[in-house]
Coordinates of all heavy atoms in Angstrom, one line a residue:
M1 N 64.4 -37.0 -25.2 CA 64.8 -38.2 -24.7 C 65.2 -38.2 -23.1 O 65.8 -37.2 -22.7 CB 65.9 -38.8 -25.5 CG 65.6 -39.2 -26.9 SD 66.9 -39.9 -27.9 CE 66.7 -41.7 -27.4
R2 N 64.8 -39.2 -22.5 CA 65.3 -39.4 -21.1 C 66.8 -39.8 -21.1 O 67.2 -40.4 -21.9 CB 64.5 -40.3 -20.5 CG 63.1 -40.0 -20.2 CD 62.3 -40.9 -19.5 NE 63.0 -42.4 -19.6 CZ 62.3 -43.4 -19.3 NH1 61.0 -43.4 -19.1 NH2 63.1 -44.5 -19.4
P3 N 67.4 -39.3 -20.0 CA 68.9 -39.6 -20.0 C 69.2 -41.0 -19.7 O 70.0 -41.6 -20.3 CB 69.5 -38.8 -18.7 CG 68.4 -37.7 -18.6 CD 67.2 -38.2 -19.1
Q4 N 68.2 -41.8 -19.0 CA 68.3 -43.2 -18.8 C 68.3 -44.0 -20.2 O 69.1 -44.9 -20.3 CB 67.2 -43.7 -17.9 CG 67.3 -43.2 -16.5 CD 66.6 -41.8 -16.3 OE1 66.2 -41.2 -17.2 NE2 66.6 -41.3 -15.2
L5 N 67.5 -43.5 -21.0 CA 67.5 -44.2 -22.4 C 68.7 -44.0 -23.1 O 69.3 -44.9 -23.7 CB 66.2 -43.7 -23.1 CG 66.2 -44.3 -24.5 CD1 65.8 -45.8 -24.3 CD2 64.9 -43.6 -25.2
L6 N 69.4 -42.8 -23.0 CA 70.6 -42.5 -23.7 C 71.8 -43.4 -23.1 O 72.6 -43.8 -23.8 CB 71.0 -41.0 -23.7 CG 70.1 -40.1 -24.4 CD1 70.4 -38.6 -24.1 CD2 70.2 -40.4 -25.9
W7 N 71.7 -43.5 -21.7 CA 72.7 -44.3 -21.1 C 72.7 -45.8 -21.6 O 73.6 -46.4 -21.8 CB 72.5 -44.3 -19.6 CG 72.9 -42.9 -19.0 CD1 73.5 -41.9 -19.5 CD2 72.3 -42.3 -17.8 NE1 73.6 -40.9 -18.8 CE2 72.7 -41.1 -17.6 CE3 71.5 -42.9 -16.8 CZ2 72.4 -40.3 -16.7 CZ3 71.2 -42.1 -15.8 CH2 71.6 -40.8 -15.6
K8 N 71.4 -46.3 -21.7 CA 71.3 -47.7 -22.1 C 71.7 -47.8 -23.5 O 72.4 -48.8 -23.9 CB 69.8 -48.1 -22.1 CG 69.3 -48.5 -20.7 CD 67.8 -48.7 -20.7 CE 67.4 -48.9 -19.2 NZ 65.9 -49.4 -19.3
I9 N 71.5 -46.8 -24.5 CA 72.0 -47.0 -25.8 C 73.5 -46.8 -25.8 O 74.2 -47.4 -26.7 CB 71.3 -45.9 -26.6 CG1 69.9 -46.0 -26.7 CG2 72.0 -45.7 -28.0 CD1 69.1 -44.9 -27.4
N10 N 74.1 -46.0 -24.9 CA 75.4 -45.7 -24.9 C 76.4 -46.8 -24.3 O 77.6 -46.9 -24.5 CB 75.7 -44.4 -24.2 CG 77.1 -43.8 -24.4 OD1 77.8 -44.1 -25.4 ND2 77.5 -42.9 -23.5
R11 N 75.7 -47.6 -23.5 CA 76.5 -48.7 -22.8 C 77.4 -49.5 -23.5 O 78.6 -49.8 -23.2 CB 75.4 -49.7 -22.1 CG 75.7 -49.5 -20.5 CD 74.5 -50.4 -19.9 NE 74.2 -49.6 -18.6 CZ 74.4 -50.2 -17.4 NH1 74.7 -51.4 -17.3 NH2 74.1 -49.4 -16.4
P12 N 77.0 -50.1 -24.8 CA 77.9 -51.0 -25.6 C 79.2 -50.1 -26.0 O 80.2 -50.7 -26.2 CB 77.1 -51.4 -26.7 CG 75.7 -51.3 -26.3 CD 75.7 -50.1 -25.3
L13 N 79.0 -48.9 -26.3 CA 80.1 -48.0 -26.7 C 81.1 -47.8 -25.5 O 82.3 -47.6 -25.9 CB 79.6 -46.7 -27.2 CG 78.7 -46.8 -28.5 CD1 78.1 -45.4 -28.7 CD2 79.3 -47.4 -29.6
Q14 N 80.6 -47.8 -24.3 CA 81.5 -47.6 -23.2 C 82.3 -48.8 -22.7 O 83.2 -48.7 -21.9 CB 80.7 -47.1 -21.9 CG 80.1 -45.7 -22.3 CD 79.3 -45.3 -20.9 OE1 79.2 -46.0 -19.9 NE2 78.7 -44.2 -21.1
K15 N 81.7 -50.0 -23.1 CA 82.4 -51.4 -22.6 C 83.9 -51.3 -22.5 O 84.4 -51.7 -21.6 CB 81.7 -52.4 -23.4 CG 81.9 -53.8 -22.9 CD 81.3 -54.9 -23.4 CE 81.5 -56.1 -22.7 NZ 80.9 -57.3 -23.3
P16 N 84.5 -51.0 -23.7 CA 86.1 -51.1 -23.7 C 86.6 -50.1 -22.8 O 87.9 -50.2 -22.4 CB 86.5 -50.9 -25.0 CG 85.3 -50.7 -25.9 CD 84.1 -50.6 -25.0
F17 N 86.0 -48.9 -22.3 CA 86.6 -47.9 -21.7 C 86.2 -47.7 -20.2 O 86.7 -46.9 -19.5 CB 86.3 -46.7 -22.4 CG 86.6 -46.7 -23.9 CD1 85.7 -46.7 -24.8 CD2 88.0 -46.6 -24.2 CE1 86.1 -46.6 -26.1 CE2 88.4 -46.7 -25.6 CZ 87.5 -46.7 -26.5
V18 N 85.3 -48.5 -19.8 CA 84.6 -48.4 -18.4 C 84.7 -49.7 -17.6 O 84.2 -50.7 -18.1 CB 83.3 -47.9 -18.4 CG1 82.8 -47.6 -17.0 CG2 83.2 -46.4 -19.0
K19 N 85.3 -49.7 -16.4 CA 85.3 -51.0 -15.6 C 83.9 -51.3 -15.2 O 83.5 -52.5 -15.1 CB 86.2 -50.8 -14.4 CG 87.7 -50.7 -14.7 CD 88.5 -50.5 -13.5 CE 90.0 -50.3 -13.8 NZ 90.7 -50.0 -12.6
D20 N 83.2 -50.4 -14.5 CA 81.8 -50.7 -14.1 C 81.0 -49.5 -14.5 O 81.2 -48.3 -14.3 CB 82.0 -50.6 -12.5 CG 80.7 -51.0 -11.8 OD1 79.7 -51.2 -12.5 OD2 80.6 -50.8 -10.6
Y21 N 79.8 -49.8 -15.1 CA 78.9 -48.9 -15.6 C 78.4 -47.9 -14.5 O 78.1 -46.7 -14.8 CB 77.8 -49.5 -16.4 CG 78.2 -50.2 -17.7 CD1 77.9 -51.5 -17.7 CD2 78.8 -49.6 -18.6 CE1 78.2 -52.3 -18.9 CE2 79.2 -50.3 -19.9 CZ 78.9 -51.6 -20.0 OH 79.2 -52.3 -21.0
D22 N 78.3 -48.4 -13.3 CA 77.7 -47.6 -12.2 C 78.7 -46.7 -11.6 O 78.4 -45.8 -11.0 CB 77.0 -48.4 -11.2 CG 75.8 -49.2 -11.8 OD1 75.1 -48.6 -12.6 OD2 75.6 -50.4 -11.4
A23 N 80.0 -47.0 -11.8 CA 81.0 -46.3 -11.3 C 81.6 -45.4 -12.4 O 81.3 -45.6 -13.6 CB 82.2 -47.2 -10.7
T24 N 82.5 -44.4 -12.1 CA 83.0 -43.7 -13.2 C 84.5 -43.8 -13.4 O 85.0 -43.2 -14.3 CB 82.8 -42.1 -12.7 OG1 83.6 -42.0 -11.6 CG2 81.4 -41.7 -12.6
E25 N 85.1 -44.8 -12.9 CA 86.5 -45.0 -13.1 C 86.8 -45.8 -14.4 O 86.1 -46.9 -14.6 CB 87.1 -45.9 -11.9 CG 88.6 -46.0 -12.1 CD 89.3 -46.9 -11.0 OE1 88.7 -47.1 -10.1 OE2 90.4 -47.0 -11.1
P26 N 87.5 -45.2 -15.3 CA 87.7 -45.9 -16.7 C 88.7 -46.9 -16.6 O 89.5 -47.0 -15.6 CB 88.2 -44.7 -17.5 CG 88.7 -43.7 -16.6 CD 88.0 -43.8 -15.2
T27 N 88.7 -47.9 -17.5 CA 89.8 -48.7 -17.6 C 91.1 -48.2 -18.2 O 91.2 -46.9 -18.5 CB 89.4 -49.9 -18.6 OG1 89.2 -49.3 -19.9 CG2 88.1 -50.6 -18.1
H28 N 92.1 -49.1 -18.3 CA 93.4 -48.6 -18.8 C 93.2 -48.0 -20.3 O 93.8 -46.8 -20.6 CB 94.5 -49.6 -18.9 CG 95.8 -49.2 -19.5 ND1 96.6 -48.4 -18.7 CD2 96.3 -49.5 -20.7 CE1 97.6 -48.3 -19.6 NE2 97.6 -48.9 -20.6
A29 N 92.4 -48.6 -21.2 CA 92.1 -48.1 -22.5 C 91.4 -46.7 -22.3 O 91.5 -45.9 -23.2 CB 91.3 -49.1 -23.2
G30 N 90.5 -46.6 -21.3 CA 89.8 -45.3 -21.2 C 90.8 -44.1 -20.9 O 90.6 -43.0 -21.4
Y31 N 91.7 -44.5 -20.0 CA 92.7 -43.4 -19.5 C 93.4 -43.1 -20.8 O 93.9 -41.9 -21.0 CB 93.5 -43.9 -18.5 CG 93.0 -43.8 -17.0 CD1 92.8 -45.0 -16.4 CD2 92.5 -42.6 -16.5 CE1 92.2 -44.8 -15.1 CE2 92.0 -42.5 -15.3 CZ 91.9 -43.6 -14.5 OH 91.3 -43.5 -13.3
M32 N 93.9 -44.1 -21.6 CA 94.7 -43.8 -22.7 C 93.9 -43.0 -23.8 O 94.6 -42.1 -24.5 CB 95.2 -45.1 -23.3 CG 96.2 -45.9 -22.5 SD 97.7 -44.9 -22.1 CE 98.4 -44.6 -23.7
M33 N 92.7 -43.3 -24.1 CA 91.8 -42.5 -24.9 C 91.8 -41.1 -24.5 O 91.9 -40.2 -25.3 CB 90.5 -43.1 -25.0 CG 89.6 -42.4 -26.0 SD 90.2 -42.5 -27.7 CE 89.6 -44.1 -28.1
S34 N 91.5 -40.9 -23.1 CA 91.5 -39.5 -22.7 C 92.9 -38.7 -22.8 O 92.8 -37.6 -23.2 CB 91.2 -39.6 -21.2 OG 91.2 -38.4 -20.6
R35 N 93.9 -39.4 -22.5 CA 95.2 -38.7 -22.9 C 95.4 -38.5 -24.3 O 96.0 -37.4 -24.7 CB 96.3 -39.6 -22.3 CG 96.3 -39.7 -20.9 CD 97.5 -40.7 -20.3 NE 97.3 -40.7 -18.8 CZ 97.4 -41.9 -18.3 NH1 97.6 -43.0 -18.9 NH2 97.4 -42.0 -17.0
A36 N 95.0 -39.3 -25.2 CA 95.2 -39.3 -26.6 C 94.3 -38.0 -27.1 O 94.7 -37.2 -27.9 CB 94.9 -40.4 -27.4
V37 N 93.2 -38.0 -26.6 CA 92.3 -36.8 -27.1 C 92.8 -35.5 -26.5 O 92.8 -34.4 -27.2 CB 90.8 -37.0 -26.5 CG1 90.0 -35.7 -26.7 CG2 90.2 -38.2 -27.2
G38 N 93.3 -35.5 -25.3 CA 93.9 -34.3 -24.7 C 95.2 -33.9 -25.5 O 95.4 -32.6 -25.7
A39 N 95.9 -34.8 -26.0 CA 97.1 -34.4 -26.6 C 96.8 -33.7 -28.1 O 97.4 -32.9 -28.5 CB 97.9 -35.6 -26.8
V40 N 95.8 -34.4 -28.7 CA 95.3 -33.9 -30.0 C 94.8 -32.5 -29.9 O 95.1 -31.5 -30.7 CB 94.2 -34.8 -30.7 CG1 93.5 -34.2 -31.7 CG2 94.9 -36.1 -31.1
V41 N 94.0 -32.2 -28.8 CA 93.4 -30.8 -28.5 C 94.6 -29.9 -28.2 O 94.6 -28.8 -28.8 CB 92.4 -31.0 -27.4 CG1 92.0 -29.5 -26.8 CG2 91.2 -31.7 -27.8
L42 N 95.6 -30.4 -27.4 CA 96.7 -29.5 -27.1 C 97.6 -29.1 -28.5 O 97.9 -28.0 -28.7 CB 97.6 -30.2 -26.2 CG 98.9 -29.3 -25.7 CD1 98.4 -28.1 -24.9 CD2 99.7 -30.2 -24.8
V43 N 97.7 -30.2 -29.2 CA 98.5 -29.8 -30.5 C 97.6 -28.9 -31.5 O 98.3 -28.0 -32.0 CB 98.8 -31.2 -31.1 CG1 99.2 -31.0 -32.6 CG2 99.9 -31.9 -30.5
A44 N 96.4 -29.1 -31.5 CA 95.5 -28.3 -32.4 C 95.5 -26.9 -31.9 O 95.6 -25.9 -32.6 CB 94.1 -28.9 -32.4
S45 N 95.5 -26.7 -30.5 CA 95.3 -25.3 -30.0 C 96.7 -24.7 -30.1 O 96.7 -23.5 -30.6 CB 94.9 -25.3 -28.5 OG 95.8 -26.0 -27.8
V46 N 97.8 -25.4 -30.0 CA 99.1 -24.7 -30.2 C 99.3 -24.3 -31.7 O 99.8 -23.2 -32.0 CB 100.2 -25.5 -29.7 CG1 101.7 -25.1 -30.2 CG2 100.2 -25.7 -28.1
T47 N 98.8 -25.2 -32.6 CA 98.9 -24.9 -33.9 C 98.1 -23.7 -34.3 O 98.6 -22.8 -35.1 CB 98.5 -26.2 -34.8 OG1 99.3 -27.2 -34.5 CG2 98.6 -25.9 -36.3
M48 N 96.9 -23.6 -33.8 CA 96.0 -22.4 -34.1 C 96.7 -21.2 -33.6 O 96.6 -20.1 -34.2 CB 94.7 -22.6 -33.5 CG 93.8 -23.7 -34.4 SD 92.1 -23.6 -34.0 CE 92.1 -24.6 -32.5
L49 N 97.2 -21.2 -32.4 CA 98.0 -20.1 -31.9 C 99.2 -19.6 -32.6 O 99.3 -18.4 -32.8 CB 98.4 -20.5 -30.4 CG 99.2 -19.3 -29.5 CD1 98.1 -18.2 -29.3 CD2 99.7 -19.9 -28.3
I50 N 99.9 -20.5 -33.1 CA 101.1 -20.2 -33.9 C 100.6 -19.5 -35.3 O 101.2 -18.6 -35.8 CB 102.0 -21.4 -34.2 CG1 102.7 -21.8 -32.8 CG2 103.0 -21.2 -35.1 CD1 103.5 -23.2 -32.9
N51 N 99.6 -20.2 -35.8 CA 99.1 -19.6 -37.1 C 98.6 -18.1 -36.9 O 98.6 -17.4 -37.9 CB 98.0 -20.5 -37.7 CG 98.7 -21.8 -38.3 OD1 99.8 -21.8 -38.6 ND2 97.9 -22.8 -38.3
T52 N 98.0 -17.9 -35.8 CA 97.5 -16.5 -35.6 C 98.6 -15.5 -35.3 O 98.3 -14.2 -35.6 CB 96.5 -16.4 -34.5 OG1 97.1 -16.9 -33.2 CG2 95.2 -17.2 -34.7
L53 N 99.7 -15.9 -34.8 CA 100.8 -14.9 -34.7 C 101.6 -14.7 -36.0 O 101.9 -14.1 -36.6 CB 101.8 -15.5 -33.6 CG 101.3 -15.7 -32.3 CD1 102.3 -16.3 -31.5 CD2 100.8 -14.4 -31.6

């Protein structure tokens, strides 16, 4: 598949998280989603580290 086709399909999913489709700056909800995913990854990695020790 061409990337342009994937971008067209992905546009409705990005709507709540992106101010402008041609720009890369996310909205407030996009920043919050990024922080939430980062926190989940951090907690999961610390948990795995503790379990291996």
Side-chain angles (χ1 to χ4, degrees):
M1 292 182 85
R2 294 183 335 203
Q4 293 85 356
L5 182 59
L6 291 174
W7 294 336
K8 285 181 184 178
I9 294 170
N10 195 23
R11 246 176 211 237
L13 299 174
Q14 293 179 5
K15 190 174 183 180
F17 304 109
V18 179
K19 290 180 186 175
D20 183 7
Y21 293 118
D22 297 325
T24 57
E25 184 176 358
T27 60
H28 180 71
Y31 282 121
M32 291 304 294
M33 180 65 79
S34 177
R35 289 181 185 130
V37 169
V40 168
V41 169
L42 181 64
V43 168
S45 62
V46 168
T47 303
M48 285 189 283
L49 178 66
I50 290 172
N51 286 338
T52 58
L53 298 175

